[in-house]
Amino acid sequence: AAALPVSRACYAHARAFGIDPVDLAIQGGEDYELLFTVSPAKAVRLDRLMHQKGHRVARIGAIKPKVFGLRLRGSNGALRRLPMVSYRHFQKVRQPQREAAWSQ
């Protein structure tokens, strides 16, 4: 949780509405950071290149097997499960049944 790049605006909004800013950043629905993966073997090179280009990169976690699920390590070091509440881009969407058109 401490590594998440949460903006000042997100903190201010969360405080104003009594919401945890980390939960808002994770599950609020607005995407304002690019999320990507890189192999551990290439992480040091990526950090060096981003620094040279003047870009900030926040390493926020690791990819684990699906059975592990989504988890967040809190400031106390404990892991907590996160529910899947975000949009699932590649999930098949069920189409509503169309009403039969009756003609005479």
Side-chain angles (χ1 to χ4, degrees):
L4 291 172
V6 180
S7 70
R8 290 182 195 171
C10 182
Y11 275 109
H13 180 80
R15 269 193 305 271
F17 290 92
I19 304 168
D20 179 354
V22 171
D23 286 342
L24 182 60
I26 292 172
Q27 302 168 353
E30 293 299 322
D31 300 332
Y32 61 91
E33 292 281 338
L34 175 64
L35 182 64
F36 63 95
T37 60
V38 65
S39 71
K42 295 182 179 180
V44 172
R45 182 170 181 228
L46 174 73
D47 289 342
R48 187 175 351 104
L49 287 171
M50 292 295 103
H51 181 73
Q52 288 173 355
K53 299 292 184 182
H55 301 295
R56 185 177 53 90
V57 175
R59 188 171 304 147
I60 63 168
I63 302 295
K64 301 280 188 179
K66 185 176 182 177
V67 68
F68 188 76
L70 295 174
R71 298 185 187 196
L72 180 70
R73 186 173 308 281
S75 58
N76 63 357
L79 286 175
R80 70 173 165 118
R81 285 192 174 273
L82 295 175
M84 176 58 83
V85 297
S86 62
Y87 180 77
R88 295 181 185 184
H89 294 276
F90 302 108
Q91 182 176 351
K92 187 174 181 179
V93 177
R94 291 180 53 188
Q95 297 295 324
Q97 294 283 336
R98 293 183 184 212
E99 292 185 29
W102 297 96
S103 61
Q104 295 183 352

